Amino acid sequence: MQHATLTRALVIGLAASFALVGCKKKDETSEMTPPPATAPAATTTPPPPAAAPAAVTVSGVSVGNTAAADKSVAPLTTLATKDKIIVSVRTDGTASNTTLGVRLTFQDGQVAGEQSATLNTTGSETTNVEFTNANGWPAGKYTAQVTVDGQAAGMPQEFVVK
């Protein structure tokens, strides 16, 4: 009987050893397992700098076919097919090598003409941009749109060619 008790104690001791070793092994693996990665601290990216306001502004746009000595253009809403189209742009402010663009768009969205001028001014100024068409302008509605350094400026002007 002692032999059975001894065997039983040995089996129980051996089973307990395996259980402890098994538990110990799990503990070691959990110690070896790196802690879960935490998200890096949120970094705040500063917002991009706001675009500097234009130093020059468009104060008026007129479309006509003749310019006065002071570059002013009497606004017309109807022009003839053989007329020279003059887009007169009044600006205020300071500009140094600033691009003034003028685009004529026909009623179907097709660009009928596009030109640019360079502004160098320190006050009020009028810049005229002239468009001609040797074959005559097709009859229809047109829009003159002004840009300053690629950004829309002033009110688009609509006119009709008959």
Side-chain angles (χ1 to χ4, degrees), residues 16-101:
S17 296
F18 284 132
L20 286 177
V21 169
C23 289
K24 182 75 172 169
K25 195 168 196 173
K26 286 182 184 176
D27 288 340
E28 287 174 8
T29 12
S30 66
E31 287 176 15
M32 288 184 181
T33 305
T38 57
T43 56
T44 306
T45 305
V56 67
T57 58
V58 173
S59 57
V61 179
S62 301
V63 176
N65 58 5
T66 56
D70 65 352
K71 296 185 180 180
S72 64
V73 172
L76 297 174
T77 57
T78 305
L79 298 167
T81 58
K82 292 290 184 181
D83 280 351
K84 174 183 353 181
I85 298 173
I86 302 172
V87 179
S88 180
V89 182
R90 288 179 305 284
T91 55
D92 294 312
T94 302
S96 177
N97 292 323
T98 301
T99 302
L100 174 78

Side-chain angles (χ1 to χ4, degrees), residues 70-151:
D70 65 352
K71 296 185 180 180
S72 64
V73 172
L76 297 174
T77 57
T78 305
L79 298 167
T81 58
K82 292 290 184 181
D83 280 351
K84 174 183 353 181
I85 298 173
I86 302 172
V87 179
S88 180
V89 182
R90 288 179 305 284
T91 55
D92 294 312
T94 302
S96 177
N97 292 323
T98 301
T99 302
L100 174 78
V102 179
R103 175 184 289 175
L104 295 182
T105 307
F106 189 58
Q107 64 194 14
D108 64 1
Q110 180 180 353
V111 176
E114 191 166 15
Q115 294 189 37
S116 63
T118 302
L119 294 178
N120 289 301
T121 184
T122 57
S124 296
E125 185 174 312
T126 300
T127 304
N128 290 340
V129 179
E130 298 183 3
F131 295 88
T132 58
N133 187 337
N135 299 323
W137 297 101
K141 292 183 183 180
Y142 290 80
T143 302
Q145 174 66 54
V146 176
T147 60
V148 174
D149 282 338
Q151 300 298 314

